Amino acid sequence: MAIAPPPKLGKGLSIIGAAAAALLWFWPGDAPWLLWLNLAAPPLAFIPLLLWPGQFTLGGRAKGLSAPRQNLAGLWTLPSLALAMCAWSPDFERVYTAMPVIGGLGLGIVFTAIGALVDPRARREMIVFLLMAGTAWGWGLLTFANVEFDRTPGVIRPAVIADKDPGRRSGPTLVVGLQDSRLTGLRFRVSYAAYESVKAGDAACVEDNPGAFGWRTLWLVECTAPLREVITPEPAW
């Protein structure tokens, strides 16, 4: 006799997904465990579907089903969205922004294929939504993997602060231009203390990293600090 799933498991997992997404976006400091939690949450949604076939759904209405199914939408949609939002946020500047998105689309197709396989309802009603969320998850995964697994020492480049943006919605941001290249208008989100301590025209330093996958990333750093000591953003991923 098969063991029935807990009656509120789907709702509980969706609440965990929503909480993980909110904490990732609003956490005021560096919390790698939140990043990994949000990366793990969407694939984990497949486990209840495999353990209890017919008892869970990735989303959609329960019309026509002989027994109600628990909805797991919050576990895989909200963390995926939070990852994409953090990947797009100006904590660091990506010179080749399109490449992680293209790679994320490839992972999104794989994510969608697995979701359609384990949940036939998703195949009929949520295929586009699955692809969008899967792409967001893949984009976040590749963006942060490109940073986390980059072991090549960065190069410090001289820069100048061109402008300041108080960023009432997204947080204070500095607009920076590199002195030895054509890269201008680079936007970095910083702490309020760092924002208030500088003015337009001040010298700055940018760390130039090749990225683990060859996707170049730029970080605003203290000119006197060791490599990779980044000005702590608020919030940070």
Side-chain angles (χ1 to χ4, degrees):
M1 181 178 179
I3 300 176
K8 300 295 184 180
L9 180 59
K11 181 179 293 186
L13 291 175
S14 291
I15 291 174
I16 290 174
L23 287 172
L24 178 64
W25 184 246
F26 293 108
W27 194 266
D30 191 12
W33 63 274
L34 276 176
L35 172 62
W36 294 113
L37 177 60
N38 280 268
L39 287 171
L44 287 178
F46 297 141
I47 295 179
L49 289 162
L50 294 172
L51 292 178
W52 296 287
Q55 298 297 314
F56 290 87
T57 179
L58 292 173
R61 298 184 299 272
K63 181 179 179 180
L65 295 175
S66 58
R69 295 203 289 182
Q70 300 187 49
N71 199 314
L72 297 168
L75 182 60
W76 59 274
T77 57
L78 297 178
S80 296
L81 179 61
L83 287 168
M85 291 172 63
C86 288
W88 183 252
S89 69
D91 293 337
F92 62 95
E93 184 73 22
R94 301 150 300 276
V95 178
Y96 299 110
T97 307
M99 295 306 297
V101 178
I102 295 172
L105 177 59
L107 290 177
I109 293 173
V110 175
F111 186 93
T112 303
I114 296 174
L117 181 64
V118 298
D119 186 4
R121 173 169 292 278
R123 190 183 311 152
R124 300 191 302 269
E125 297 184 357
M126 302 198 56
I127 193 72
V128 175
F129 199 41
L130 264 175
L131 180 59
M132 293 173 60
T135 300
W137 171 76
W139 177 19
L141 172 63
L142 293 177
T143 296
F144 297 122
N146 181 61
V147 173
E148 292 297 323
F149 297 111
D150 181 10
R151 297 295 180 261
T152 305
V155 177
I156 297 295
R157 299 191 182 279
V160 62
I161 297 175
D163 198 5
K164 298 172 63 177
D165 181 1
R168 292 178 176 83
R169 293 185 178 181
S170 60
T173 302
L174 298 180
V175 183
V176 177
L178 295 183
Q179 295 180 356
D180 58 351
S181 78
R182 296 180 180 179
L183 289 177
T184 59
L186 304 174
R187 301 177 65 86
F188 299 96
R189 187 169 53 186
V190 298
S191 67
Y192 287 97
Y195 180 84
E196 294 295 338
S197 67
V198 297
K199 63 182 182 299
D202 283 354
C205 289
V206 170
E207 183 182 341
D208 191 342
N209 294 273
F213 304 141
W215 302 332
R216 185 180 176 194
T217 58
L218 304 173
W219 300 77
L220 184 64
V221 300
E222 298 282 1
C223 292
T224 58
L227 290 180
R228 304 198 69 82
E229 185 175 333
V230 183
I231 297 176
T232 303
E234 293 183 356
W237 54 262

